[in-house]
């Protein structure tokens, strides 16, 4: 595997070359692909933390895997460039937290990728379930699974137009503005990287906050999309979960890392509708049930496991992803 140059940005659906983390891909048999990734030492979003920045955010590792879904589809299943993709379910766990420690040079990772299932209709394969195993050196850094599907641009346009019309929304969305939480409250330094409003606690103990989409964010909105990207939805739930865990005394600071995640995307999250993040009670081990709601629908359901960023800490337990039926 080579780490000297990135894969073409259009192959991984990125606009900025700096946001491309994959550097190589090799097919090994019908269902297996080996991917190579170089993770930056400092990233303006993924390494923005009040902690000492000595560890990679597992969400950065997940993003490298997410880029792999496009490589497998375009390069090895002949899905044309220009097709639109829908994220349906995501799960990951960090089996060895010590593998997240950054060195004094960019991190080189290898991602073993396996096609677990092909989703089909009468026209053929329309999506995949991929299993990922990322290793850094001799350490297992991330185990992940992603369900996704794709469609031609014309079908996408019809789908989105019909959905937005049914909600009484205009053809082109404009993100709803909002006041964001203080970045330190969610473990961030840069105010631009806080993606929720100040959380509140309802009488039933539910914690809520609004997701504040920023279409100018260079990482979360690397390019224009007409809905809230899946990685932004997960980040909003992570930030709200951090505040809940700290206030419940389950974590000492909002610099904890997500070491386990299982999420199901039920429908598109529309950026011009109010989007409310909610958490349930903090469970033993800092496990938190989270969801994202818009008027009339649940957009995302997730379960997060958070842990203080100790490289010598306990191994995270596996989280089973629920069945996937929605899209983002």
């Amino acid at each position: 595997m080579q780490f000297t140059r990135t894969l073409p940005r259009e192959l991984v659906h990125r606009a900025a070359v700096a946001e491309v983390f994959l550097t190589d891909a090799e097919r090994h048999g019908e269902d297996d692909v080996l991917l190579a990734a170089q993770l930056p030492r400092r990233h303006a979003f993924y390494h923005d933390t009040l902690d000492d920045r000595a560890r990679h955010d597992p969400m950065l590792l997940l993003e490298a895997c997410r880029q792999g879904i496009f490589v497998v589809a375009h390069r090895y299943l002949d899905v044309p460039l220009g097709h639109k993709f829908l994220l349906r379910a995501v799960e990951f766990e960090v089996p060895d937290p010590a593998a997240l420690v950054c060195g004094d040079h960019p991190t080189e990772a290898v991602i073993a990728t396996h096609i677990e299932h092909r989703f089909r209709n009468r026209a053929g394969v329309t999506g995949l379930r991929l299993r990922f195993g990322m290793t850094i050196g001799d350490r297992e850094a991330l185990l992940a699974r992603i369900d996704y599907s794709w469609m031609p641009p014309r079908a996408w346009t019809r789908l989105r137009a019909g959905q937005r019309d049914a909600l009484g929304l205009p053809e082109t969305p404009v993100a709803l503005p909002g006041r964001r939480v203080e970045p330190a409250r969610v473990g961030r330094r840069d105010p631009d990287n806080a993606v929720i409003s100040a959380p509140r606690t309802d009488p039933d103990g539910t914690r809520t906050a609004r997701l504040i989409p920023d279409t100018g964010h260079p990482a979360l909105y690397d390019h224009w999309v007409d809905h809230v990207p899946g990685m932004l939805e997960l980040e909003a739930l992570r930030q709200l979960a951090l505040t809940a865990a700290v206030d419940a005394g389950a974590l000492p600071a909002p610099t904890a890392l997500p070491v386990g995640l299982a999420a199901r995307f039920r429908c598109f999250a529309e950026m011009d509708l109010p989007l409310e993040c909610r958490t349930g009670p903090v469970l033993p081990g800092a496990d938190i049930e989270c969801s994202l709601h818009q008027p009339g629908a649940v957009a995302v359901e997730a379960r997060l496991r958070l842990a203080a960023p100790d490289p010598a800490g306990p191994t995270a337990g596996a989280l089973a992803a629920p069945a996937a039926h929605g899209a983002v």
Side-chain angles (χ1 to χ4, degrees):
M1 307 299 287
Q2 67 86 18
F3 299 90
T4 58
R5 61 186 180 277
T6 64
L7 293 179
R9 59 181 183 164
E10 63 271 15
L11 191 61
V12 298
H13 294 206
R14 296 279 87 182
V17 173
E19 294 299 318
V20 179
F21 303 131
L22 297 184
T23 62
D24 205 356
E26 293 180 356
R27 193 169 191 174
H28 294 263
E30 183 68 18
D31 294 329
D32 292 285
V33 174
L34 206 59
L35 302 170
Q38 186 186 75
L39 308 178
R41 294 170 62 188
R42 291 282 179 91
H43 187 276
F45 177 72
Y46 291 109
H47 290 110
D48 175 32
T49 173
L50 293 176
D51 195 30
D52 58 11
R53 306 187 190 188
R55 299 159 188 84
H56 288 299
D57 183 346
M59 300 294 272
L60 169 62
L61 279 60
L62 177 65
E63 170 60 21
C65 294
R66 192 191 70 88
Q67 293 183 13
I69 72 177
F70 306 117
V71 176
V72 172
H74 291 312
R75 181 167 283 186
Y76 302 117
L77 274 72
D78 299 322
V79 176
L81 292 173
H83 269 46
K84 302 296 186 178
F85 284 68
L86 299 88
L87 197 61
R88 295 189 175 275
V90 172
E91 67 169 302
F92 75 75
E93 62 165 310
V94 178
D96 183 359
L100 301 177
V101 175
C102 301
D104 57 1
H105 51 77
T107 298
E108 295 179 352
V110 175
I111 309 169
T113 307
H114 177 71
I115 299 175
E116 283 194 340
H117 183 73
R118 290 170 169 82
F119 300 100
R120 303 176 185 269
N121 63 16
R122 293 179 181 179
V125 178
T126 60
L128 298 173
R129 174 177 297 131
L130 297 182
R131 185 179 73 241
F132 302 91
M134 179 184 289
T135 55
I136 298 174
D138 60 354
R139 293 183 178 273
E140 198 170 47
L142 192 80
L143 300 175
R145 184 177 285 112
I146 297 177
D147 288 14
Y148 65 108
S149 59
W150 54 78
M151 66 179 66
R154 187 173 298 178
W156 175 276
T157 300
R158 288 196 304 268
L159 172 69
R160 294 294 289 130
Q163 291 177 335
R164 289 186 59 79
D165 184 64
L167 292 168
L169 298 173
E171 181 179 351
T172 302
V174 176
L176 291 180
R179 184 174 181 178
R180 306 181 198 195
V181 67
E182 288 294 320
R185 187 84 168 83
V186 292
R188 298 285 187 164
R189 299 172 186 266
D190 187 344
D192 288 343
N193 291 333
V195 303
I196 61 172
S197 65
R200 70 177 189 272
T201 302
D202 295 332
D204 63 357
T206 301
R207 179 170 295 254
T208 62
R210 267 193 60 204
L211 187 155
I212 311 295
D214 174 9
T215 57
H217 195 285
L220 296 172
Y221 273 95
D222 164 79
H223 57 281
W224 168 258
V225 291
D226 65 1
H227 57 282
V228 178
M231 292 298 285
L232 173 53
E233 294 176 85
L234 296 180
E235 178 61 28
L237 296 179
R238 184 249 286 260
Q239 291 189 9
L240 184 59
L242 281 170
T243 69
V246 171
D247 288 351
L251 292 171
T255 54
L257 296 174
V259 295
L261 168 74
R264 177 172 60 188
F265 299 90
R266 290 187 170 273
C267 67
F268 288 93
E270 304 290 355
M271 68 178 79
D272 45 357
L273 288 178
L275 294 168
E276 186 177 78
C277 306
R278 300 177 189 170
T279 68
V282 180
L283 304 174
D287 284 13
I288 304 176
E289 302 281 353
C290 308
S291 54
L292 177 65
H293 300 252
Q294 63 189 22
V298 178
V300 187
E301 292 178 318
R303 184 185 179 98
L304 270 165
R305 177 171 301 167
L306 301 168
D310 181 0
T315 299
L319 291 175
H325 302 288
V328 295

